[in-house]
Amino acid sequence: MEHLKVYDIDKNYIGIASRTEIHKKGLWHETFHCWFACQEGGKTYIYFQLRSRKKADFPYLLDVTSAGHILADETIQDGVREVEEELGISLTIDDIEKLAEIPYCVIKDKGEFIDREFANVYLYRQPIQFLDFTLQKEEVAGIFRAEWTEFVQLFTSLKEKIEMDGFEILDKGTVQWKKEKIGMDAFVPHPEKY
């Protein structure tokens, strides 16, 4: 069972609790988010993971390229392990740049799941190919990318759908390449501030 550090809204350390207790009670905790972005053909692309259908939280929705909880015995910098665990890409903290620490809250299932986190957001902006990814199938079902300006238009309601391309790993390990139009309902909900 995962144990995480607990904080108050002002980021004062309170103690340690299980991940289950943290999300049941809505306790503040730390997470690591790493976005992948690259330039190709004069355009900037942002990458998203497709969460596994087996995930307890927000299954089969598009989300941050790589993300995870910071365990009780870890530092924020240790969070970079998530990238290799989920995506099979080995990075160090020196390979990525910190963008921000964003406090936010998402409540679902009529208050049964409350996610209050301090998201430590990083960016990896090096050329990357879909074939560079080796996915942890228990966590990640696929990788997709969108052209950055189109994603911003989707997120700010200037477009209802945008085209994304990428791949999904099917149950038997087969890779299915996809190109499709996606709306905001295909993404894990994040507050507007994020």
Side-chain angles (χ1 to χ4, degrees):
M1 176 178 290
E2 288 184 355
H3 285 83
L4 315 175
K5 294 175 190 165
V6 178
Y7 299 88
D8 67 17
I9 184 63
D10 296 317
K11 191 97 185 275
N12 296 307
Y13 175 75
I14 295 173
I16 294 174
S18 71
R19 178 178 175 171
T20 303
E21 181 182 0
I22 280 173
H23 287 146
K24 185 175 179 105
K25 294 181 177 177
L27 303 174
W28 286 96
H29 60 286
E30 292 180 302
T31 58
F32 173 88
H33 293 192
C34 187
W35 289 98
F36 280 37
C38 74
Q39 297 228 325
E40 186 180 300
K43 294 182 178 181
T44 300
Y45 291 91
I46 183 169
Y47 288 76
F48 300 86
Q49 70 164 257
L50 178 64
R51 293 169 65 85
S52 166
R53 291 179 190 272
K54 296 175 183 171
K55 293 286 284 181
D57 313 324
F58 307 108
Y60 207 61
L61 292 178
L62 295 163
D63 200 5
V64 178
T65 322
S66 180
H69 289 91
I70 302 296
L71 302 178
D73 62 348
E74 292 182 316
T75 66
I76 297 302
Q77 290 75 21
D78 292 327
V80 75
R81 71 170 160 71
E82 289 288 344
V83 177
E84 187 164 9
E85 287 175 11
E86 293 182 346
L87 309 178
I89 295 174
S90 180
L91 300 178
T92 69
I93 200 70
D94 295 327
D95 296 322
I96 58 180
E97 63 184 273
K98 186 158 186 177
L99 299 179
E101 180 182 86
I102 303 171
Y104 75 85
C105 178
V106 173
I107 299 172
K108 69 173 209 151
D109 299 332
K110 299 179 182 170
E112 293 294 315
F113 177 89
I114 305 168
D115 189 18
R116 286 194 175 104
E117 61 182 64
F118 294 103
N120 293 273
V121 184
Y122 288 81
L123 176 64
Y124 178 69
R125 58 164 121 203
Q126 296 298 320
I128 192 94
Q129 303 296 318
F130 285 124
L131 295 177
D132 294 335
F133 294 96
T134 303
L135 306 183
Q136 180 185 21
K137 65 181 180 179
E138 300 81 19
E139 299 282 328
V140 184
I143 296 289
F144 289 83
R145 71 177 188 173
E147 200 272 310
W148 170 250
T149 56
E150 288 206 350
F151 176 68
V152 170
Q153 290 173 338
L154 176 68
F155 193 79
T156 57
S157 302
L158 294 175
K159 285 190 172 185
E160 287 187 21
K161 294 193 176 221
I162 60 170
E163 189 170 277
M164 294 184 73
D165 65 320
F167 70 92
E168 180 179 350
I169 305 290
L170 304 179
D171 288 340
K172 295 183 179 181
T174 307
V175 175
Q176 183 177 44
W177 296 95
K178 294 182 171 185
K179 184 180 268 192
E180 56 191 344
K181 293 273 190 178
I182 306 254
M184 280 304 293
D185 60 338
F187 293 87
V188 169
H190 289 284
E192 203 168 301
K193 179 181 179 182
Y194 184 88

